[in-house]
Amino acid sequence: MAKRKKIAAGNWKMNMGYEEGRILARKVVDGVVRSDVTVILGVPFIHLKSMENILGGISNIHVAAQNCHQEEGGAYTGEISASHLTSVGTSYVILGHSERREYFGEGAALLAKKTDIVLKHGMKPIFCCGENLEIREKGTHVKLVSKQIKDALFHLSDEDFRKVVIAYEPIWAIGTGVTASAQQAQDMHKDIRALIAKKYGAETADLTSILYGGSVKPANAKELFAMPDVDGGLVGGASLKAGDFTQIVAAF
Ligand code: PEP
């Protein structure tokens, strides 16, 4: 029986001012009733320090950054380093979100470096992958997602790979209101797990949490999370409403 974590991760993206974010986080803390689900709030950098105070001491609620620079530090004006993140209690970092791939040109080589530095500093990457509609319609989505994972992650040792959370996020489902069907998510997650098993063995594959992302809402979370290879969700829009997000956490 798999011991992998059930995870509900929110991605606030570039939303929520300082006070709004504090209020939302407090509501989430008050509304989360499950202690067997790892809850992660992916917040803008300005919130990281105050989240430490709001979430501190609750063992299953963690904070994630949405990006991290690949270098240790130095003359990179405007960037945030891994040690900045750990200095304010960050434990997870979302990497390779499709918005960063598309708008900031992030590709496999860069993401491999970012993954390395995040792990080196003792944080866990939430590594996003997923195809656009054109690729899905062509039927080459499994090939593309496999390549995204192999190229950015398969240099890792088995020990490090076990710290990675995978988030499969079909781009055509992100922020569109169109969700992949539970079966479409399951099929891709099963293929991802098989790919991991081939490289790292069945035990590591079985321990890897694979999240689905793309218009997860209270109305579809239960069906998605009931799939054997769907270990939770990376949630954008619905994570901005405490009631919706806590219902999603309760949907496992
Ligand atoms: C996301 O940003 O990772 C995401 C899945 O967004 P949404 O839930 O809004 O589709």
Side-chain angles (χ1 to χ4, degrees):
M1 195 53 190
K3 293 187 297 288
R4 57 185 175 261
K5 282 187 184 131
K6 299 180 180 92
I7 299 176
N11 177 11
W12 292 5
K13 310 195 187 193
M14 200 171 70
N15 296 298
M16 293 287 141
Y18 187 68
E19 282 308 327
E20 272 178 302
R22 286 167 64 85
I23 293 166
L24 174 58
R26 282 211 189 90
K27 285 187 182 161
V28 170
V29 166
D30 291 345
V32 167
V33 288
R34 299 276 298 258
S35 57
D36 59 330
V37 176
T38 298
V39 177
I40 302 170
L41 303 184
V43 301
F45 294 131
I46 60 153
H47 294 295
L48 291 169
K49 180 66 187 165
S50 73
M51 290 299 138
E52 194 186 20
N53 300 330
I54 296 169
L55 312 179
I58 307 171
S59 63
N60 66 316
I61 310 189
H62 306 272
V63 70
Q66 299 172 14
N67 187 24
C68 174
H69 197 270
Q70 67 276 15
E71 300 295 340
E72 292 286 354
Y76 299 98
T77 303
E79 291 295 324
I80 301 279
S81 71
S83 54
H84 285 143
L85 298 180
T86 55
S87 73
V88 288
T90 308
S91 40
Y92 289 84
V93 184
I94 299 171
L95 290 178
H97 191 280
S98 62
E99 288 150 17
R100 295 217 56 91
R101 291 177 189 264
E102 185 180 349
Y103 307 136
F104 302 94
E106 296 195 1
L110 179 67
L111 293 171
K113 286 189 191 159
K114 290 191 177 205
T115 301
D116 288 345
I117 204 151
V118 162
L119 288 166
K120 184 179 167 203
H121 285 263
M123 297 179 288
K124 297 186 175 91
I126 301 173
F127 179 82
C128 304
C129 52
E131 80 287 353
N132 63 22
L133 189 57
E134 197 188 334
I135 301 275
R136 168 63 65 165
E137 284 172 349
K138 259 206 276 177
T140 53
H141 44 288
V142 175
K143 198 171 156 203
L144 177 100
V145 168
S146 302
K147 186 166 166 46
Q148 288 175 330
I149 293 172
K150 275 191 217 165
D151 291 355
L153 301 179
F154 275 13
H155 65 286
L156 296 176
S157 66
D158 182 55
E159 192 190 341
D160 274 346
F161 191 87
R162 288 184 182 209
K163 297 169 190 154
V164 177
V165 174
I166 304 277
Y168 167 58
E169 299 209 300
I171 297 168
W172 46 272
I174 296 180
T176 57
V178 180
T179 316
S181 69
Q183 194 57 53
Q184 282 173 319
Q186 166 58 22
D187 290 347
M188 179 62 91
H189 286 216
K190 193 169 174 225
D191 286 337
I192 293 172
R193 205 176 303 285
L195 178 79
I196 298 167
K198 210 166 152 200
K199 168 79 179 167
Y200 292 102
E203 196 188 336
T204 297
D206 205 36
L207 286 169
T208 303
S209 294
I210 307 176
L211 315 184
Y212 165 78
S215 301
V216 176
K217 313 177 222 332
N220 57 30
K222 216 175 186 63
E223 196 189 350
L224 285 160
F225 298 169
M227 290 291 160
D229 288 292
V230 178
D231 306 310
L234 179 55
V235 184
S239 73
L240 300 175
K241 294 182 193 140
D244 283 5
F245 189 61
T246 51
Q247 279 183 62
I248 290 168
V249 175
F252 284 91

PDB file of all heavy atoms in Angstrom, residues 11 13 97 99 169 173-176 213-216 234-238, ligand 1:
ATOM      1  N   ASN A  11      -2.011  27.768  -5.356  1.00  0.00           N
ATOM      2  CA  ASN A  11      -1.093  28.661  -6.064  1.00  0.00           C
ATOM      3  C   ASN A  11      -1.794  30.007  -6.208  1.00  0.00           C
ATOM      4  O   ASN A  11      -2.680  30.153  -7.049  1.00  0.00           O
ATOM      5  CB  ASN A  11      -0.750  28.067  -7.444  1.00  0.00           C
ATOM      6  CG  ASN A  11       0.141  28.990  -8.258  1.00  0.00           C
ATOM      7  OD1 ASN A  11       0.671  29.970  -7.741  1.00  0.00           O
ATOM      8  ND2 ASN A  11       0.298  28.688  -9.543  1.00  0.00           N
ATOM      9  N   LYS A  13      -0.600  32.657  -7.265  1.00  0.00           N
ATOM     10  CA  LYS A  13      -0.041  33.422  -8.392  1.00  0.00           C
ATOM     11  C   LYS A  13       0.249  34.866  -7.948  1.00  0.00           C
ATOM     12  O   LYS A  13       0.633  35.076  -6.806  1.00  0.00           O
ATOM     13  CB  LYS A  13      -0.976  33.380  -9.597  1.00  0.00           C
ATOM     14  CG  LYS A  13      -1.411  31.956  -9.946  1.00  0.00           C
ATOM     15  CD  LYS A  13      -2.028  31.865 -11.298  1.00  0.00           C
ATOM     16  CE  LYS A  13      -2.578  30.463 -11.493  1.00  0.00           C
ATOM     17  NZ  LYS A  13      -2.919  30.162 -12.855  1.00  0.00           N
ATOM     18  N   HIS A  97       6.158  26.101 -13.472  1.00  0.00           N
ATOM     19  CA  HIS A  97       4.746  26.349 -13.793  1.00  0.00           C
ATOM     20  C   HIS A  97       4.656  26.789 -15.256  1.00  0.00           C
ATOM     21  O   HIS A  97       5.549  27.487 -15.758  1.00  0.00           O
ATOM     22  CB  HIS A  97       4.192  27.429 -12.859  1.00  0.00           C
ATOM     23  CG  HIS A  97       2.699  27.543 -12.942  1.00  0.00           C
ATOM     24  ND1 HIS A  97       2.077  28.229 -13.955  1.00  0.00           N
ATOM     25  CD2 HIS A  97       1.720  27.028 -12.170  1.00  0.00           C
ATOM     26  CE1 HIS A  97       0.750  28.140 -13.791  1.00  0.00           C
ATOM     27  NE2 HIS A  97       0.514  27.415 -12.710  1.00  0.00           N
ATOM     28  N   GLU A  99       3.100  29.037 -16.645  1.00  0.00           N
ATOM     29  CA  GLU A  99       3.195  30.489 -16.845  1.00  0.00           C
ATOM     30  C   GLU A  99       4.651  30.941 -16.834  1.00  0.00           C
ATOM     31  O   GLU A  99       5.035  31.857 -17.563  1.00  0.00           O
ATOM     32  CB  GLU A  99       2.369  31.221 -15.768  1.00  0.00           C
ATOM     33  CG  GLU A  99       0.874  31.044 -16.025  1.00  0.00           C
ATOM     34  CD  GLU A  99       0.008  31.046 -14.778  1.00  0.00           C
ATOM     35  OE1 GLU A  99       0.466  31.484 -13.716  1.00  0.00           O
ATOM     36  OE2 GLU A  99      -1.149  30.573 -14.889  1.00  0.00           O
ATOM     37  N   GLU A 169      -0.136  19.477 -14.982  1.00  0.00           N
ATOM     38  CA  GLU A 169      -1.074  20.569 -15.218  1.00  0.00           C
ATOM     39  C   GLU A 169      -1.243  20.793 -16.718  1.00  0.00           C
ATOM     40  O   GLU A 169      -0.459  21.543 -17.330  1.00  0.00           O
ATOM     41  CB  GLU A 169      -0.534  21.865 -14.597  1.00  0.00           C
ATOM     42  CG  GLU A 169      -0.329  21.798 -13.105  1.00  0.00           C
ATOM     43  CD  GLU A 169      -0.503  23.175 -12.482  1.00  0.00           C
ATOM     44  OE1 GLU A 169       0.239  24.094 -12.848  1.00  0.00           O
ATOM     45  OE2 GLU A 169      -1.405  23.313 -11.672  1.00  0.00           O
ATOM     46  N   ALA A 173      -6.240  23.339 -19.343  1.00  0.00           N
ATOM     47  CA  ALA A 173      -7.171  23.289 -18.208  1.00  0.00           C
ATOM     48  C   ALA A 173      -6.862  24.342 -17.151  1.00  0.00           C
ATOM     49  O   ALA A 173      -7.628  24.520 -16.214  1.00  0.00           O
ATOM     50  CB  ALA A 173      -7.129  21.898 -17.572  1.00  0.00           C
ATOM     51  N   ILE A 174      -5.741  25.074 -17.315  1.00  0.00           N
ATOM     52  CA  ILE A 174      -5.349  26.031 -16.273  1.00  0.00           C
ATOM     53  C   ILE A 174      -6.091  27.343 -16.456  1.00  0.00           C
ATOM     54  O   ILE A 174      -5.969  28.001 -17.494  1.00  0.00           O
ATOM     55  CB  ILE A 174      -3.821  26.292 -16.299  1.00  0.00           C
ATOM     56  CG1 ILE A 174      -3.067  25.004 -15.971  1.00  0.00           C
ATOM     57  CG2 ILE A 174      -3.444  27.394 -15.306  1.00  0.00           C
ATOM     58  CD1 ILE A 174      -1.556  25.159 -15.976  1.00  0.00           C
ATOM     59  N   GLY A 175      -6.868  27.687 -15.443  1.00  0.00           N
ATOM     60  CA  GLY A 175      -7.573  28.965 -15.438  1.00  0.00           C
ATOM     61  C   GLY A 175      -8.654  29.071 -16.497  1.00  0.00           C
ATOM     62  O   GLY A 175      -9.161  30.159 -16.754  1.00  0.00           O
ATOM     63  N   THR A 176      -9.016  27.959 -17.112  1.00  0.00           N
ATOM     64  CA  THR A 176      -9.974  28.005 -18.210  1.00  0.00           C
ATOM     65  C   THR A 176     -11.363  27.560 -17.784  1.00  0.00           C
ATOM     66  O   THR A 176     -12.331  27.754 -18.516  1.00  0.00           O
ATOM     67  CB  THR A 176      -9.527  27.049 -19.344  1.00  0.00           C
ATOM     68  OG1 THR A 176      -9.402  25.732 -18.794  1.00  0.00           O
ATOM     69  CG2 THR A 176      -8.219  27.481 -19.965  1.00  0.00           C
ATOM     70  N   GLY A 213      -3.368  19.525 -11.665  1.00  0.00           N
ATOM     71  CA  GLY A 213      -3.723  20.945 -11.628  1.00  0.00           C
ATOM     72  C   GLY A 213      -4.408  21.356 -12.905  1.00  0.00           C
ATOM     73  O   GLY A 213      -3.999  20.946 -13.999  1.00  0.00           O
ATOM     74  N   GLY A 214      -5.436  22.181 -12.765  1.00  0.00           N
ATOM     75  CA  GLY A 214      -6.181  22.667 -13.935  1.00  0.00           C
ATOM     76  C   GLY A 214      -7.650  22.740 -13.584  1.00  0.00           C
ATOM     77  O   GLY A 214      -8.354  21.737 -13.691  1.00  0.00           O
ATOM     78  N   SER A 215      -8.068  23.932 -13.096  1.00  0.00           N
ATOM     79  CA  SER A 215      -9.472  24.173 -12.759  1.00  0.00           C
ATOM     80  C   SER A 215     -10.036  23.169 -11.749  1.00  0.00           C
ATOM     81  O   SER A 215     -11.176  22.725 -11.886  1.00  0.00           O
ATOM     82  CB  SER A 215     -10.322  24.217 -14.037  1.00  0.00           C
ATOM     83  OG  SER A 215      -9.866  25.244 -14.905  1.00  0.00           O
ATOM     84  N   VAL A 216      -9.222  22.823 -10.754  1.00  0.00           N
ATOM     85  CA  VAL A 216      -9.753  22.005  -9.650  1.00  0.00           C
ATOM     86  C   VAL A 216     -10.680  22.888  -8.823  1.00  0.00           C
ATOM     87  O   VAL A 216     -10.350  24.029  -8.505  1.00  0.00           O
ATOM     88  CB  VAL A 216      -8.625  21.439  -8.748  1.00  0.00           C
ATOM     89  CG1 VAL A 216      -9.203  20.678  -7.560  1.00  0.00           C
ATOM     90  CG2 VAL A 216      -7.693  20.536  -9.556  1.00  0.00           C
ATOM     91  N   LEU A 234      -2.945  20.800  -7.424  1.00  0.00           N
ATOM     92  CA  LEU A 234      -2.352  22.135  -7.375  1.00  0.00           C
ATOM     93  C   LEU A 234      -3.456  23.050  -7.882  1.00  0.00           C
ATOM     94  O   LEU A 234      -3.943  22.893  -9.008  1.00  0.00           O
ATOM     95  CB  LEU A 234      -1.091  22.213  -8.252  1.00  0.00           C
ATOM     96  CG  LEU A 234      -0.379  23.578  -8.311  1.00  0.00           C
ATOM     97  CD1 LEU A 234      -0.021  24.100  -6.922  1.00  0.00           C
ATOM     98  CD2 LEU A 234       0.896  23.488  -9.146  1.00  0.00           C
ATOM     99  N   VAL A 235      -3.860  23.961  -7.024  1.00  0.00           N
ATOM    100  CA  VAL A 235      -5.110  24.688  -7.234  1.00  0.00           C
ATOM    101  C   VAL A 235      -4.822  26.176  -7.382  1.00  0.00           C
ATOM    102  O   VAL A 235      -4.242  26.781  -6.472  1.00  0.00           O
ATOM    103  CB  VAL A 235      -6.048  24.466  -6.014  1.00  0.00           C
ATOM    104  CG1 VAL A 235      -7.389  25.143  -6.250  1.00  0.00           C
ATOM    105  CG2 VAL A 235      -6.213  22.979  -5.722  1.00  0.00           C
ATOM    106  N   GLY A 236      -5.215  26.756  -8.500  1.00  0.00           N
ATOM    107  CA  GLY A 236      -5.005  28.181  -8.709  1.00  0.00           C
ATOM    108  C   GLY A 236      -6.191  28.987  -8.214  1.00  0.00           C
ATOM    109  O   GLY A 236      -6.310  29.295  -7.029  1.00  0.00           O
ATOM    110  N   GLY A 237      -7.119  29.290  -9.121  1.00  0.00           N
ATOM    111  CA  GLY A 237      -8.260  30.172  -8.823  1.00  0.00           C
ATOM    112  C   GLY A 237      -8.989  29.822  -7.530  1.00  0.00           C
ATOM    113  O   GLY A 237      -9.267  30.707  -6.707  1.00  0.00           O
ATOM    114  N   ALA A 238      -9.282  28.556  -7.343  1.00  0.00           N
ATOM    115  CA  ALA A 238     -10.084  28.163  -6.165  1.00  0.00           C
ATOM    116  C   ALA A 238      -9.301  28.276  -4.865  1.00  0.00           C
ATOM    117  O   ALA A 238      -9.892  28.221  -3.786  1.00  0.00           O
ATOM    118  CB  ALA A 238     -10.619  26.739  -6.345  1.00  0.00           C
TER     119      ALA A 238
HETATM  120  C1  PEP B   1      -2.437  26.711 -11.521  1.00  0.00           C
HETATM  121  O1  PEP B   1      -2.195  27.888 -11.595  1.00  0.00           O
HETATM  122  O2  PEP B   1      -1.514  25.941 -11.234  1.00  0.00           O
HETATM  123  C2  PEP B   1      -3.793  26.241 -11.766  1.00  0.00           C
HETATM  124  C3  PEP B   1      -4.009  24.969 -11.847  1.00  0.00           C
HETATM  125  O3  PEP B   1      -4.765  27.206 -11.894  1.00  0.00           O
HETATM  126  P1  PEP B   1      -6.359  26.958 -11.930  1.00  0.00           P
HETATM  127  O4  PEP B   1      -6.700  26.058 -10.768  1.00  0.00           O
HETATM  128  O5  PEP B   1      -6.952  28.317 -11.767  1.00  0.00           O
HETATM  129  O6  PEP B   1      -6.684  26.316 -13.227  1.00  0.00           O
END
